[in-house]
Amino acid sequence: MNSNKQSFFIDGEWQEPASSARIEVINATTEEVIGVVPEGREADIDRAVAAARRALQSPSWGGLSPAERSKAMLRFADAIEKRGPELARSVSMQNGMPINVADQLESGFVVAMLRYYAALAKDMVVEESRPSPMGFTSLVRREPVGVVGAIVPWNFPVALSMMKIGPALAAGCTIVLKPSPGTVLDSYILADAAEEAQLPAGVVNWVPGGRELGAYLVTHPGIDKVAFTGSTAAGRIIAQECGRLLRPVTLELGGKSAAIVLEDADLGALVQGLPTASVLNNGQACFSCTRILAPASRYDEVVEAVAGAVSALVVGDPLERTTQIGPMASAIHRDRVQGYVEKGKGEARLVAGGSKVDRERGWFVQPTVFADVDNSATIAREEIFGPVLAIIRYDGEDDAVRIANESEYGLGGTIWSTDRAHAAELARRIDTGTLGINGYMPDLNAPFGGIKASGLGRELGPESVAGYQRYKSIYQLG
Ligand code: NAD
């Protein structure tokens, strides 16, 4: 596959880029160039924002009822579904995601998400008449917040885009989306689908580029709301800019979540659920439970089970159906993750992995587990974003809750127990935005997001639509 592109999808058509700058996309497994696309410049963003503004005010989008928007969204979902296998393959080659994961989360989940928001749009009530206790009536309206500037990272490029596009379209907004330079080819497949579905011109526009282009989009005077997924460091900068501009912003940032293994846990279930809960997408998932909290009474047993499960993971070409762990998304990122593995060797006891993967090409890191990790160690505090787990001992459930909560982050988490009611009770004490019992999987119908350094606001669920709406109250006094 070699995907070379010459243009951007702006205003419902393929437009020439403002400059000759190009982004080379490299296959994470073969290290070969698999595509070259134009790199966006400020002038491209200007055109995209202007197109999105026109669409917002146009009869063909701004004038549609929510039920009519829903129909357009369903057409878009159908067009994406047709391209599902192509999308999954594209993501897998670009960032190393195992193809089974890509099929599920970058294809099936994405189509289901768009249909979910289309269904919400269909039944959306945008105006409500409320009797006032003061003797008159108020009309309370939910209006689209306007033109959205959306910025996504490279780890789940399609799903994280749809977490913004879905609720934004349901609310009646328009979008300018900036994909990460590492994963841009999938955005062209989405744009093809938008074109086939005849989404009205300017409703969704894609301009790929790096962080400077992202920064330009964030502060652009034509943007009404920013939706960002990425690192906490970038999120803090974007939050500052949006604070200065008093611009609404949603931030989905990093994590360092805890998997609490209770004394009554079924370790067979833990071993089965761990690949998804802790090392999904080669550990390149924001919600990964990379701190495993093991009870002192079963400590050795948990270490053995986790080390065994991680050592057994099949590392290889992400396009092979049997592969469970593919390469890291870039050489720089591989070096960063490998650096944490070396750091961990000085901080804790290595019980699985830790060596180089014996392959000539590809940015692989061997799945690695450290035991006897102190919660204050670097490998327990910092987000590694690779297949590297830290096992931490706890004494009693209060201690487990304390350790889980002693983190800068609060995004995911899991509790492993055969007593579901007790696990749910304990879950209420964990400072986090989402938590799974005996497994982890974000739910389309439940809000997803973090607290503390993991972010602000929520995606997924009906709640995320509110992030793309603004209220207007009309007091009917006479
Ligand atoms: P990153 O912050 O470096 O980049 C993310 C995106 O933001 C890219 O498109 C990049 O070009 C852009 N960007 C970077 N700095 C910017 C700035 N100052 N202004 C505007 N745009 C800017 O992150 P990454 O390395 O691409 O992604 C990995 C990070 O994303 C991890 O920390 C991970 O936890 C986080 N993440 C969070 C979630 C979530 O839902 N909470 C989901 C996936 C990934």
Side-chain angles (χ1 to χ4, degrees):
M1 172 185 149
N2 202 313
S3 306
N4 293 341
K5 307 288 175 188
Q6 311 296 338
S7 45
F8 297 128
F9 192 71
I10 294 175
D11 206 11
E13 58 182 21
W14 296 98
Q15 296 196 359
E16 288 294 304
S19 92
S20 58
R22 292 289 182 271
I23 298 170
E24 274 193 349
V25 184
I26 301 177
N27 183 316
T29 312
T30 63
E31 299 182 37
E32 284 163 359
V33 175
I34 48 169
V36 179
V37 306
E39 181 175 0
R41 288 288 184 255
E42 294 182 357
D44 300 306
I45 291 281
D46 291 345
R47 271 187 291 136
V49 172
R53 176 68 54 195
R54 282 193 300 276
L56 189 72
Q57 293 160 349
S58 72
S60 58
W61 182 253
L64 297 188
S65 67
E68 288 166 329
R69 287 202 297 273
S70 170
K71 283 188 191 150
M73 293 166 74
L74 288 175
R75 288 198 309 271
F76 190 20
D78 291 346
I80 296 173
E81 190 170 41
K82 275 202 235 167
R83 293 164 173 78
E86 191 191 349
L87 264 177
R89 250 183 96 75
S90 164
V91 172
S92 187
M93 285 194 280
Q94 292 176 95
N95 72 5
M97 183 183 298
I99 191 73
N100 292 339
V101 178
D103 271 345
Q104 193 188 348
L105 294 177
E106 292 286 278
S107 168
F109 182 62
V110 169
V111 173
M113 198 189 313
L114 189 50
R115 290 191 177 136
Y116 170 84
Y117 283 106
L120 286 187
K122 183 168 162 277
D123 299 324
M124 188 176 278
V125 176
V126 289
E127 201 169 278
E128 184 194 332
S129 179
R130 282 190 202 169
S132 161
M134 295 155 78
F136 54 91
T137 306
S138 288
L139 272 187
V140 178
R141 285 177 53 75
R142 291 160 194 252
E143 299 179 345
V145 74
V147 177
V148 176
I151 298 174
V152 294
W154 45 260
N155 63 330
F156 286 97
V158 190
L160 296 172
S161 295
M162 196 51 72
M163 284 189 191
K164 294 156 186 61
I165 295 172
L169 298 193
C173 294
T174 57
I175 296 202
V176 176
L177 200 141
K178 189 204 78 64
S180 174
T183 45
V184 291
L185 302 181
D186 47 285
S187 73
Y188 278 86
I189 302 172
L190 282 185
D192 279 340
E195 188 181 30
E196 181 186 295
Q198 295 184 322
L199 274 192
V203 171
V204 190
N205 311 270
W206 283 267
V207 185
R211 65 180 50 193
E212 290 78 19
L213 196 73
Y216 183 70
L217 179 62
V218 165
T219 56
H220 196 287
I223 292 293
D224 299 304
K225 181 214 161 84
V226 174
F228 174 77
T229 300
S231 63
T232 296
R236 285 188 204 281
I237 296 170
I238 290 169
Q240 273 179 355
E241 293 297 341
C242 290
R244 184 174 62 79
L245 295 165
L246 293 178
R247 184 165 289 176
V249 60
T250 309
L251 300 167
E252 294 288 2
L253 310 176
K256 191 77 195 179
S257 302
I260 304 178
V261 184
L262 295 186
E263 289 194 343
D264 66 353
D266 169 359
L267 296 190
L270 174 70
V271 161
Q272 256 205 322
L274 210 66
T276 307
S278 295
V279 287
L280 185 73
N281 191 20
N282 319 328
Q284 301 171 135
C286 51
F287 51 69
S288 286
C289 294
T290 48
R291 293 183 297 149
I292 314 282
L293 277 45
S297 62
R298 296 185 72 187
Y299 186 74
D300 292 341
E301 224 186 314
V302 173
V303 170
E304 197 184 329
V306 172
V310 170
S311 303
L313 290 170
V314 179
V315 179
D317 182 342
L319 291 177
E320 296 282 341
R321 290 276 162 202
T322 47
T323 294
Q324 290 171 292
I325 300 283
M328 301 290 94
S330 68
I332 292 178
H333 186 53
R334 186 264 323 270
D335 293 347
R336 200 177 151 267
V337 175
Q338 201 64 51
Y340 277 109
V341 171
E342 297 314 314
K343 176 97 190 162
K345 289 177 184 169
E347 286 188 324
R349 177 165 62 100
L350 181 70
V351 292
S355 315
K356 294 255 165 13
V357 172
D358 188 19
R359 285 180 74 100
E360 245 173 55
R361 291 195 159 239
W363 303 308
F364 289 89
V365 171
Q366 198 178 35
T368 298
V369 183
F370 290 101
D372 304 347
V373 182
D374 192 277
N375 198 42
S376 62
T378 307
I379 56 164
R381 282 187 294 108
E382 296 185 8
E383 184 184 50
I384 298 175
F385 225 54
V388 183
L389 304 183
I391 306 182
I392 303 169
R393 182 194 302 263
Y394 73 82
D395 273 302
E397 289 183 2
D398 287 348
D399 197 33
V401 171
R402 176 189 65 78
I403 297 170
N405 291 344
E406 256 176 32
S407 171
E408 188 195 347
Y409 299 105
L411 182 57
T414 48
I415 296 179
W416 303 83
S417 167
T418 43
D419 182 345
R420 224 196 304 169
H422 178 65
E425 205 48 58
L426 203 66
R428 296 184 173 93
R429 296 173 60 196
I430 308 300
D431 295 335
T432 189
T434 64
L435 191 140
I437 292 172
N438 294 325
Y440 187 96
M441 185 48 67
D443 175 5
L444 285 177
N445 200 25
F448 170 85
I451 61 167
K452 301 192 276 186
S454 292
L456 291 174
R458 291 293 179 266
E459 298 194 309
L460 297 182
E463 286 80 3
S464 72
V465 179
Y468 294 91
Q469 291 173 320
R470 58 186 185 200
Y471 286 105
K472 181 188 281 174
S473 297
I474 303 173
Y475 314 126
Q476 296 178 309
L477 296 166

